[in-house]
Amino acid sequence: MNTEVGPGRVGDVLPPLEIEITRTLIVAGAIASRDYQDVHHDAELARQKGSPDIFMNILTTNGLVGRYITDRFGPRSVLRRVAIRLGAPNYPGDTMVLTGTVEAVEGDTATVRVVGANGIGRHVTGTVTVTVPGAAGAEGADGARVAQGAEGIEGAEGAAVHEVAGSRP
């Protein structure tokens, strides 16, 4: 993890992040995000619904994309916007490899194109806008960036947008 970086330059390629897709990761992510749909924790019911196994939910994927970006830009970075779309499911026993490319830089804010691929194709594609250390905005008492006004919006099936606007003192 790189803890003190700037927003980079257009065209910069982020190092890949490999994530083993385990049954525990899928189920824990579903439970943590309160997504109790059986296709995320019950293999037999998932098969009855036409899936070969349980599969990862979009909220877990969204969290992993956020982790990928903050691992690159540091623990004080602030995710301003995450817009992702799902493709091929993440099933247990596979590996997802996240990659990213800086598409735009404005001051201390970067927009990164993210792709997460697994053994059957692209699991996730999208963009993340991130403000890096030194960005305008207040810090909390512990030095961590504090954001307010977070809104999650789920659009068309398999798409999610998460925007964070402003910061508070």
Side-chain angles (χ1 to χ4, degrees):
M1 175 172 64
N2 194 347
T3 59
E4 291 300 326
V5 298
R9 293 186 214 140
V10 172
D12 284 354
V13 176
L14 281 61
L17 174 64
E18 291 188 13
I19 299 170
E20 296 299 318
I21 307 302
T22 65
R23 195 166 298 280
T24 300
L25 175 62
I26 293 169
V27 173
I31 291 169
S33 61
R34 296 182 175 184
D35 183 347
Y36 303 117
Q37 291 186 36
D38 51 25
V39 294
H40 303 309
H41 65 84
D42 188 317
E44 182 56 37
L45 289 175
R47 281 190 280 280
Q48 287 176 15
K49 293 182 177 182
S51 179
D53 205 339
I54 64 172
F55 55 90
M56 185 175 285
N57 72 355
I58 194 168
L59 297 171
T60 303
T61 300
N62 195 60
L64 293 171
V65 167
R67 169 193 165 196
Y68 176 59
I69 297 299
T70 58
D71 278 0
R72 165 57 173 87
F73 291 99
R76 294 179 53 183
S77 59
V78 179
L79 301 178
R80 296 294 181 185
R81 183 172 193 271
V82 177
I84 61 171
R85 180 168 298 281
L86 293 183
N90 266 341
Y91 293 117
D94 207 343
T95 299
M96 177 175 64
V97 180
L98 288 165
T99 58
T101 305
V102 176
E103 287 190 328
V105 176
E106 187 173 323
D108 47 13
T109 300
T111 300
V112 180
R113 177 84 176 145
V114 176
V115 174
N118 60 32
I120 56 176
R122 286 185 172 182
H123 170 68
V124 62
T125 57
T127 58
V128 178
T129 302
V130 59
T131 300
V132 297
E139 294 181 355
D142 64 354
R145 290 278 177 201
V146 180
Q148 69 179 11
E151 294 182 19
I153 306 163
E154 192 156 338
E157 184 176 328
V161 176
H162 182 89
E163 294 193 55
V164 180
S167 60
R168 66 176 179 209

